[in-house]
Amino acid sequence: MTAEAIQSDDIPTGTSRQQRYTAVAIALHWAIALLIIGMIAVGWIMEAMPGGPGSPKTAIIQIHKSVGITILLLTIARIIWRIMNPPPAEPPMPKLQSLLASSVHILLYVLMLAMPLTGWIMASAEIGLHDTRYFWTVEMYVPGIPGLPAETREGIAEGFEQVHSNLAWVIIGLLVLHVAGAVKHQFIDKDGLLARMAPGLFGRTAGPVDNGQGAIWAFGAAVAVFAAIAAVSLSTAPSTVAPVTVAEDNQTPASNAPAWAVDYEKSSIIFRSGYMGRPFEGRFSGWTAQIQLDTDATPANANTPVDGYIRVAIPMASVNTGEPYYDENVTQGDWFDVAKYPEAVFEVTGGVFKDSDTQYEATGVLKLKGGEHPVRLPFTLKIEGATATAHAETTLKRMALGVGAGTLTAEKGDAEWVQDDVLVVIDIVATRQ
Ligand code: HEM
Ligand code: HEM
């Protein structure tokens, strides 16, 4: 097309008819622009929101992360598309202005990559209950980061949070320059530049150079990056191998004392802890208890156990906190790792001691996540006829049990934390057999 043909009569005075960007470039420009502006708003809003159980903050952060990763993938596609389809020649303008425009464009591309990358590095390094699941589906971490030591991760998370937060201001500054440029072109230079990026809306254009080519490459690369990172994240995620059956311990009763049949409807095993200063409670279901106890015995002295044996087996995947998000996380690798250790067992190995008619103490081991921990479990026992009601409370230190080792136990900066002390409350109603 010649210059004369472009300068046809039906174009408003002062406006030369520009060739516009390809449809793909235009679609990507506006999709990414809208998403980024929305992300900055959402970023600030969620930053100011209180977290904790019941707060929508958790879901909003997940959406922020997923949309952010989408922006990164779209930007990869956009850059490849641009390399394969150079934009139309720019309208005539002073050299300095042209240089400024190109610099802002290049910096915007850098920010379109840096903004999601810094957020994603921060999210991958953050130690806490939040995972980075792409729209509640696959986990996606920046490869290499989750395997780093907790301290290094904390440092990375804190540093990148600063960078991520500051870059938001850089992109806002660039956007102001960018929009000011577009407005100047539209209303002062009247050269039809806006129409290059928004055909039809701001005047007519001469159409793109051609429809463009390389969509398979551009979008294929974005999909390939997504698949590669999802695959790496999956392979480094906690193993989801078939549950290993816990080797059954010696099942021969260790005691000749009367057996007690547990009424599971009336019995419960509950734990209480705190997440970011707020208390939460979880309960297990489907657990089984084998109890033998001679409640009529009179021990010779305080150091002689009565005839008794107790073994409680808890399927850890049954945990229920009333908050699906916690349940999902607490069964994972760093916490209960139910795929590898489906069951926790408390077994009396040191004997049951009777301090008074209502006060007892069971001494034994807690087998949890492959470890064995000595536990003393004092309990009260009330007997009415053939029915016994037992109540026990004990405080366990989750860190010492290797539960949630990667999560802080106290407030530190913005990092999430889960209290070390976990109160376990056991109530059992049983009838003598
Ligand atoms: C966060 C939001 C935005 C980002 C990241 C962004 C980014 C970009 C980039 C990188 C380019 C260069 C395209 C290329 O040549 O490869 C561009 C072009 C363009 N942008 Fe934006 N943009 C944003 C918002 C806006 C807004 C709000 C407007 C409207 C006022 C706008 C109007 C334009 C126009 C008219 C062009 C074409 C310039 C030309 O013809 O050379 N952009 N944008
Ligand atoms: C273009 C993409 C993105 C933009 C524009 C953006 C913008 C923001 C903004 C403005 C904030 C608030 C910062 C503050 O004032 O402290 C924020 C916070 C945050 N962003 Fe992004 N973000 C983007 C991508 C991502 C991605 C990809 C992730 C993770 C995968 C992410 C994770 C986070 C997290 C975890 C926070 C802190 C939330 C909190 O602790 O309250 N962001 N983001």
Side-chain angles (χ1 to χ4, degrees):
M1 207 181 285
T2 62
E4 283 80 356
I6 296 172
Q7 302 283 332
S8 84
D9 293 343
D10 57 352
I11 296 163
T13 348
T15 307
S16 61
R17 199 186 271 193
Q18 304 279 339
Q19 279 188 312
R20 65 170 182 261
Y21 282 81
T22 55
V24 171
I26 294 172
L28 285 170
H29 173 270
W30 292 110
I32 294 173
L34 290 179
L35 288 176
I36 289 184
I37 293 166
M39 286 287 282
I40 295 173
V42 167
W44 283 336
I45 291 168
M46 73 189 191
E47 191 61 32
M49 278 175 86
S55 162
K57 183 174 183 173
T58 304
I60 294 175
I61 290 182
Q62 291 305 327
I63 294 171
H64 181 89
K65 292 197 239 185
S66 303
V67 173
I69 293 173
T70 309
I71 293 174
L72 180 66
L73 298 171
L74 289 177
T75 303
I76 292 173
R78 181 167 171 193
I79 290 173
I80 295 174
W81 179 266
R82 192 196 196 272
I83 292 168
M84 299 184 80
N85 302 280
E90 57 181 32
M93 60 177 110
K95 194 122 191 89
L96 201 65
Q97 192 182 325
S98 154
L99 195 71
L100 180 67
S102 325
S103 314
V104 170
H105 288 170
I106 291 170
L107 286 174
L108 279 171
Y109 276 119
V110 171
L111 264 292
M112 275 150 48
L113 294 172
M115 201 69 226
L117 274 177
T118 51
W120 198 7
I121 292 171
M122 167 201 359
S124 307
E126 249 171 14
I127 295 173
L129 282 169
H130 291 302
D131 48 11
T132 302
R133 242 168 235 280
Y134 191 71
F135 290 110
W136 289 273
T137 57
V138 276
E139 279 185 60
M140 291 191 58
Y141 293 110
V142 175
I145 292 185
L148 295 172
E151 250 176 50
T152 318
R153 288 178 60 181
E154 252 180 68
I156 294 178
E158 275 171 30
F160 275 84
E161 185 171 356
Q162 273 301 318
V163 179
H164 190 66
S165 171
N166 291 340
L167 284 186
W169 287 105
V170 176
I171 206 166
I172 289 171
L174 288 170
L175 191 59
V176 168
L177 286 175
H178 184 62
V179 173
V183 168
K184 176 181 180 289
H185 279 282
Q186 184 66 18
F187 297 108
I188 298 175
D189 303 340
K190 296 191 169 73
D191 57 7
L193 184 105
L194 256 174
R196 287 156 54 97
M197 207 35 126
L201 221 60
F202 297 96
R204 293 170 60 187
T205 62
V209 182
D210 57 34
N211 287 334
Q213 63 207 352
I216 304 265
W217 286 105
F219 292 98
V223 172
V225 169
F226 177 89
I229 292 180
V232 173
S233 299
L234 268 179
S235 65
T236 51
S239 70
T240 43
V241 290
V244 185
T245 23
V246 173
E248 275 309 316
D249 316 88
N250 183 4
Q251 283 294 295
T252 41
S255 155
N256 295 316
W260 294 79
V262 176
D263 181 344
Y264 292 104
E265 287 286 301
K266 293 184 182 150
S267 306
S268 61
I269 300 180
I270 294 175
F271 65 92
R272 298 199 179 111
S273 188
Y275 168 51
M276 294 182 82
R278 290 161 190 245
F280 73 91
E281 185 176 280
R283 59 178 60 230
F284 294 102
S285 51
W287 50 272
T288 51
Q290 184 189 341
I291 302 175
Q292 288 179 272
L293 191 62
D294 182 359
T295 51
D296 298 328
T298 316
N301 58 53
N303 298 323
T304 314
V306 293
D307 196 2
Y309 172 78
I310 299 171
R311 185 182 189 278
V312 183
I314 306 171
M316 299 303 278
S318 72
V319 64
N320 181 358
T321 59
E323 181 97 17
Y325 179 67
Y326 288 181
D327 296 347
E328 193 185 309
N329 282 284
V330 87
T331 53
Q332 305 289 315
D334 196 36
W335 294 87
F336 292 160
D337 198 358
V338 299
K340 222 163 158 191
Y341 307 105
E343 199 172 58
V345 173
F346 171 72
E347 185 176 21
V348 165
T349 51
V352 181
F353 297 86
K354 183 175 179 179
D355 298 334
S356 73
D357 275 349
T358 54
Q359 271 301 314
Y360 289 76
E361 185 168 283
T363 61
V365 288
L366 173 64
K367 295 177 191 170
L368 184 77
K369 289 184 81 177
E372 293 201 5
H373 312 274
V375 169
R376 301 171 73 85
L377 190 67
F379 62 96
T380 56
L381 192 70
K382 279 186 212 132
I383 299 185
E384 274 172 40
T387 304
T389 309
H391 174 82
E393 285 188 14
T394 188
T395 299
L396 303 174
K397 302 264 180 203
R398 66 168 182 86
M399 278 293 188
L401 301 177
V403 174
T407 299
L408 302 177
T409 54
E411 194 164 8
K412 192 172 174 202
D414 281 349
E416 291 165 357
W417 53 282
V418 172
Q419 185 181 304
D420 195 18
D421 282 359
V422 179
L423 178 72
V424 180
V425 184
I426 304 168
D427 281 288
I428 290 183
V429 176
T431 40
R432 194 193 323 239
Q433 296 302 289

